[in-house]
Amino acid sequence: MKLIIAIVQDEDAARLVSNLMNEGYSVTKLATTGGFLRAGNTTLLLGVDDEKFAGAMAVIEKVCKSRKQIATSPSPVAGTSGVYVPYPIEVMVGGATVFVMNVEQFVKL
Ligand code: 2BA
């Protein structure tokens, strides 16, 4: 069994959960925040049997889209005066950031 931890954009989360549930996967959805953009994203936890792992990854790949997002980064504008103003930078946020772990034990009590 594997544990898939998938960090996805909020815009894709509802559709991704529906598609995974329709295909028989169990999913836990967490509201999370990206450290760089400080914006909300969604983290899904899926415990999947080895033979269903590729299917889950295919659903994630199909649903999650890369998008450009604007982040504001503080910038010094007045040299040593200590004045900072936000300025926009564009970043490409991935379809999904996925971590895969082997599950040592899976227990439901
Ligand atoms: P955020 O940390 O808010 O990052 C959003 C996007 O900003 C990233 O998209 C990347 O394009 C850019 N970015 C992040 N850190 C950067 C940096 N130090 N300099 C320049 N640009 C930077 P993704 O790479 O697709 O990541 C989307 C979200 O997935 C991240 O949101 C974070 O919540 C999570 N994530 C990505 N890599 C991770 C990792 N190695 N460990 C834990 N979480 C990760």
Side-chain angles (χ1 to χ4, degrees):
M1 184 181 227
K2 300 212 183 299
L3 175 66
I4 299 173
I5 301 174
I7 304 165
V8 304
Q9 294 175 64
D10 287 345
E11 292 89 331
D12 294 325
R15 207 171 133 237
L16 179 57
V17 171
S18 300
N19 283 21
L20 288 166
M21 298 290 295
N22 288 343
E23 299 213 14
Y25 293 97
S26 292
V27 184
T28 295
K29 179 170 172 273
L30 306 172
T32 46
T33 303
F36 186 70
L37 293 179
R38 311 280 164 95
N41 53 27
T42 297
T43 299
L44 300 184
L45 306 181
L46 292 89
V48 296
D49 291 327
D50 289 345
E51 61 272 19
K52 293 188 75 185
F53 170 74
M57 294 296 281
V59 175
I60 295 169
E61 190 174 4
K62 184 184 74 181
V63 172
C64 297
K65 310 279 181 236
S66 293
R67 295 185 184 86
K68 284 182 187 159
Q69 265 184 244
I70 303 296
T72 47
S73 171
S75 159
V77 290
T80 56
S81 73
V83 177
Y84 283 78
V85 293
Y87 76 103
I89 55 166
E90 195 176 76
V91 293
M92 183 63 78
V93 184
T97 299
V98 182
F99 300 89
V100 180
M101 276 164 274
N102 287 317
V103 174
E104 203 168 299
Q105 212 179 359
F106 173 62
V107 184
K108 282 188 178 177
L109 299 174

